[in-house]
Amino acid sequence: MILLLLIPLLVPFVLGPLARRCLGRLTPVAALWSVTLALVVLAAASVASLGALVLTGLLKLPLLAGLGDLVHPLRTASDLVVLPAAAAATGALTLGTWTAVRSALRQLRAFRSARSQADRRPAAGDLCVIESPHPDAYALPGRPHRIVVTTAMLRSLGADEREALFAHERAHNAGGHHRFLVVAELAAHCHPGLRTVRATVALAAERAADEAAAVAVGDRRLIARAIARAALATGDARSDRPDFAPAATTGPVPQRVAALLSAPQHRPRAAAWIALLLAACAAVSAGASGAGVVAFHHEVEVAQGEEAR
């Protein structure tokens, strides 16, 4: 049982390198969906395994064993293995919950501030212009969706580049990319091995918006030029927008520009292998977690005298 519960805690360390390869071999939209789905499965499996380990350790304590109506000792591996594992799992769940709540509150405050600022400004369709000396532009989710751009960013771009930038941000809103970013942020607090995948999901969302904007505008070079000039204008300035509000200047811009300027490459065999490996990671993690939780439940029923050994 303990071994089964440990497997979902090891598999997430494999997802980071695999997700980066996935982005290079699948289309951006396919990579975004595939990596995010695998991320959700691995995060859920790791939390379930941590929870089962915590309960296993707690039921080893006489007081809690009595409260759990255990009439026999809970049959597990040696206490020298179970108790340290349960203590580590308790610490991991506590830390993950604390950082997730803190991040959620910070992001909620940033979103409310950005939304309030946008709603106070007159909008031209979905476009909201904010007077600011700091160049910035991003897609703001909500009802209705907004494209927020500062006056400094508008002054930094030519007319055609502005339209290209707006097309990019509209692609974010149309694709609901903020949902993927929220999921990636939450998953990053479930397991340390999933933190690096958060950046891959963000890059996949940007690449998906790049490609959608290139189709809408009909000029890949124009999109690349607009993104590059917007990134140069933004520089290292820190934006007050929430992290789940995607922006064209996010991520490794040179890599995205290079992808736009090169011809799209389709390698169906490599894509199939990467998708298969992602599915295998998710299946192994979910299967081991599910089997471990079922085994734990069975041992509890045996300890309660409901089933024979």
Side-chain angles (χ1 to χ4, degrees):
M1 178 183 72
I2 299 300
L3 180 60
L4 286 172
L5 294 175
L6 290 178
I7 291 175
L9 303 180
L10 298 176
V11 175
F13 292 106
V14 180
L15 185 61
L18 192 59
R20 289 191 291 272
R21 289 182 175 271
C22 176
L23 187 55
R25 288 163 175 77
L26 298 178
T27 64
V29 173
L32 180 60
W33 276 98
S34 300
V35 172
T36 304
L37 289 175
L39 191 64
V40 169
V41 173
L42 266 62
S46 64
V47 169
S49 294
L50 288 172
L53 286 172
V54 170
L55 290 176
T56 301
L58 290 176
L59 291 177
K60 284 287 186 177
L61 303 177
L63 176 61
L64 294 177
L67 293 176
D69 297 327
L70 302 189
V71 297
H72 304 293
L74 189 65
R75 185 177 59 182
T76 62
S78 169
D79 288 355
L80 295 177
V81 175
V82 172
L83 295 182
T90 302
L93 278 179
T94 303
L95 180 62
T97 302
W98 166 248
T99 58
V101 170
R102 187 175 61 178
S103 174
L105 292 176
R106 178 175 59 84
Q107 295 298 322
L108 183 59
R109 285 194 298 268
F111 173 72
R112 286 179 173 173
S113 175
R115 192 74 210 187
S116 175
Q117 187 179 34
D119 289 342
R120 288 197 303 266
R121 302 285 179 172
D126 60 349
L127 183 63
C128 176
V129 179
I130 294 177
E131 185 72 34
S132 173
H134 305 293
D136 197 13
Y138 56 92
L140 183 64
R143 295 185 180 179
H145 291 323
R146 297 288 191 201
I147 298 171
V148 179
V149 60
T150 64
T151 52
M153 178 63 80
L154 292 178
R155 289 193 294 267
S156 301
L157 304 176
D160 55 347
E161 293 167 344
R162 294 174 193 167
E163 293 303 320
L165 185 67
F166 299 158
H168 175 96
E169 304 304 350
R170 287 192 179 98
H172 277 311
N173 282 333
H177 293 164
H178 63 282
R179 298 186 180 93
F180 295 92
L181 300 180
V182 169
V183 168
E185 176 66 24
L186 291 175
H189 297 283
C190 295
H191 192 286
L194 301 177
R195 291 174 187 169
T196 59
V197 187
R198 176 172 47 189
T200 304
V201 171
L203 177 55
E206 292 305 324
R207 287 284 298 114
D210 291 342
E211 295 296 330
V215 171
V217 174
D219 189 340
R220 299 177 66 86
R221 288 185 174 275
L222 175 58
I223 298 296
R225 189 172 73 246
I227 291 171
R229 292 195 62 179
L232 287 173
T234 303
D236 296 329
R238 190 181 184 280
S239 174
D240 293 330
R241 66 175 179 268
D243 293 341
F244 59 83
T249 55
T250 303
V253 173
Q255 180 181 340
R256 293 167 50 204
V257 169
L260 282 166
L261 296 179
S262 62
Q265 297 181 358
H266 300 287
R267 291 178 285 182
R269 180 172 296 183
W273 275 110
I274 287 293
L276 184 62
L277 287 174
L278 280 175
C281 285
V284 168
S285 187
S289 177
V293 170
V294 169
F296 166 73
H297 183 262
H298 173 73
E299 293 300 332
V300 171
E301 288 185 332
V302 170
Q304 289 173 335
E306 297 181 8
E307 289 190 16
R309 289 178 183 267

